Amino acid sequence: MFPLHRGRRLRTNESIRSLVRETSLSPSDFMFPMFIAEGENYKVEIPSMPGIFRRSIDLTVEEVKEIFALGIRAVNIYVKVSENLKDNEGNEAWNPNGLMQNAIRAIKAACPEMIVMPDVALDPYSIYGHDGIIANGDVENDSTNVALVKMAVSHAQAGADFVAPSDMMDGRVLRLREGLDAAGFHNVGIMSYSAKYASAFYGPFRDALDSAPVEATEIPKDKKTYQMDYANRIEAIKEALWDVEEGADMVMVKPGIAYLDIVREVKNAVNVPVTVYHVSGEYAMIKAAAERGWLDHDQIMMEQLMCIKRAGASLISTYFAKEAAILLNK
């Protein structure tokens, strides 16, 4: 009788393993984060993120066409704003002819079926590098929400399919939904960064956009008064449920691999798709280790993406999107 159950029968060869595999990946599971800069025919690699570039709008459009052909159906876009356009209120964020708005229009004109989800937060536009308006030595919640609504409506006017608030202000999803609806954009969705932790994994991203908080005694030195404490789990569920109640169409957990327990908890709690951001620091660590020959780049990339999907992600925002799609298409 011993052993009655032999789990290895289902692992005998790749054909059997593929038959019983519980989780699968496809290029349509990925969203590609893209960094956009002013200029024309401009493409500069981000030193801390090998293989990821700041591109001008014309080259961004060409890259969008290429990844759409690979099966990727969504991009999450960010802009690097010139220093002379930054202020405390983020006024450039809702300029109808701003870099973000022009980028949205160009992408949708060239590739109408690509889902465009622009970032909604003030840090790229802030002289302080914070996600909101500084008042009385802190990020002021409610006035920031007013600015975010203007920003989101301008994105919708440019053709965005979803807006993606990453700011973590209280109540901003409800204000965004009200503002979009009042402007006639009932079909523009909200993908809310619901459980965005105050993480050290974001370092390379802030290099890409030059959006780290500046050092000044009169403002917070970091983003811990609005991003979540990474020691907390129940708080993430609460934040996600609040955002769904306020009208979020999708919720996000950020970062990814170090937070898979949170991904599963949120997935079990909400009835909307869960997006996971496989962030810049997680990307950079794999690249650095692979360059030194310590890890097999492609194997560890695919393992991490599969694990994020297995934990409950409906969509994975990852800098590996293009590389992974090429591998999957083979």
Side-chain angles (χ1 to χ4, degrees):
M1 293 292 290
F2 175 82
L4 183 63
H5 299 288
R6 292 182 182 267
R8 290 181 59 186
R9 294 186 190 117
L10 300 181
R11 305 175 202 140
T12 302
N13 55 51
E14 177 55 25
S15 293
I16 292 175
R17 291 192 294 272
S18 67
L19 287 176
V20 299
R21 189 162 290 140
E22 300 172 29
T23 308
S24 62
L25 279 174
S26 74
S28 61
D29 291 323
F30 305 138
M31 176 163 60
F32 194 28
M34 304 186 76
F35 300 112
I36 302 170
E38 295 283 4
E40 188 174 348
N41 196 33
Y42 175 86
K43 178 181 176 182
V44 173
E45 188 173 40
I46 299 161
S48 54
M49 301 176 70
I52 300 298
F53 299 84
R54 297 189 199 102
R55 292 180 172 87
S56 52
I57 291 175
D58 55 330
L59 297 187
T60 298
V61 166
E62 294 307 310
E63 182 76 351
V64 167
K65 291 178 182 177
E66 187 174 338
I67 64 172
F68 189 85
L70 292 171
I72 295 168
R73 295 293 179 261
V75 290
N76 190 200
I77 57 175
Y78 304 85
V79 292
K80 187 179 188 308
V81 179
S82 300
E83 290 298 319
N84 64 304
L85 297 176
K86 295 182 180 183
D87 57 27
N88 183 33
E89 290 77 30
N91 288 283
E92 179 63 17
W94 49 90
N95 177 358
N97 294 309
L99 180 58
M100 177 67 87
Q101 290 77 4
N102 288 335
I104 295 167
R105 280 191 287 267
I107 293 170
K108 293 301 291 186
C111 192
E113 294 181 59
M114 180 64 84
I115 302 302
V116 178
M117 301 191 188
D119 180 59
V120 176
L122 296 186
D123 50 329
Y125 303 90
S126 170
I127 54 175
Y128 298 112
H130 275 286
D131 289 34
I133 297 169
I134 298 294
N136 301 315
D138 199 3
V139 175
E140 211 288 315
N141 193 92
D142 295 0
S143 62
T144 296
N145 282 343
V146 173
L148 296 176
V149 171
K150 290 189 282 188
M151 186 179 185
V153 169
S154 77
H155 293 173
Q157 290 169 338
D161 301 282
F162 282 75
V163 294
S166 64
D167 55 285
M168 289 296 288
M169 297 299 111
D170 292 333
R172 91 275 207 211
V173 172
L174 178 60
R175 291 289 176 255
L176 290 173
R177 187 70 271 157
E178 291 172 340
L180 289 167
D181 289 354
F185 295 107
H186 304 89
N187 291 327
V188 172
I190 299 173
M191 182 191 70
S192 174
Y193 289 58
S194 298
K196 181 179 180 181
Y197 284 84
S199 170
F201 282 106
Y202 306 150
F205 175 94
R206 291 172 182 166
D207 290 343
L209 292 185
D210 189 24
S211 62
V214 300
E215 293 187 12
T217 56
E218 69 275 13
I219 65 170
K221 65 179 180 178
D222 53 39
K223 301 189 177 186
K224 293 181 179 179
T225 67
Y226 46 101
Q227 294 179 359
M228 284 179 50
D229 184 343
Y230 59 71
N232 292 354
R233 177 181 61 87
I234 294 171
E235 184 182 15
I237 302 169
K238 177 181 68 177
E239 291 281 353
L241 288 171
W242 281 350
D243 284 359
V244 173
E245 290 173 1
E246 292 180 12
D249 301 282
M250 303 185 203
V251 296
M252 177 184 275
V253 175
K254 180 182 181 183
I257 283 295
Y259 294 77
L260 294 188
D261 60 321
I262 306 301
V263 176
R264 174 45 57 183
E265 293 272 15
V266 170
K267 178 70 172 181
N268 290 343
V270 301
N271 57 2
V272 299
V274 176
T275 304
V276 175
Y277 203 141
H278 194 215
V279 299
S280 59
E282 296 169 316
Y283 174 88
M285 289 193 299
I286 293 176
K287 289 293 182 182
E291 285 176 2
R292 288 159 177 77
W294 297 342
L295 293 174
D296 183 300
H297 176 278
D298 290 353
Q299 288 195 32
I300 198 71
M301 170 181 72
M302 298 307 291
E303 182 178 343
Q304 287 206 359
L305 294 171
M306 185 70 80
C307 291
I308 293 171
K309 180 78 180 293
R310 186 196 65 212
S314 301
L315 181 64
I316 305 170
S317 184
T318 175
Y319 301 98
F320 287 116
K322 184 177 181 180
E323 293 174 276
I326 290 170
L327 273 182
L328 289 168
N329 286 331
K330 288 181 180 178

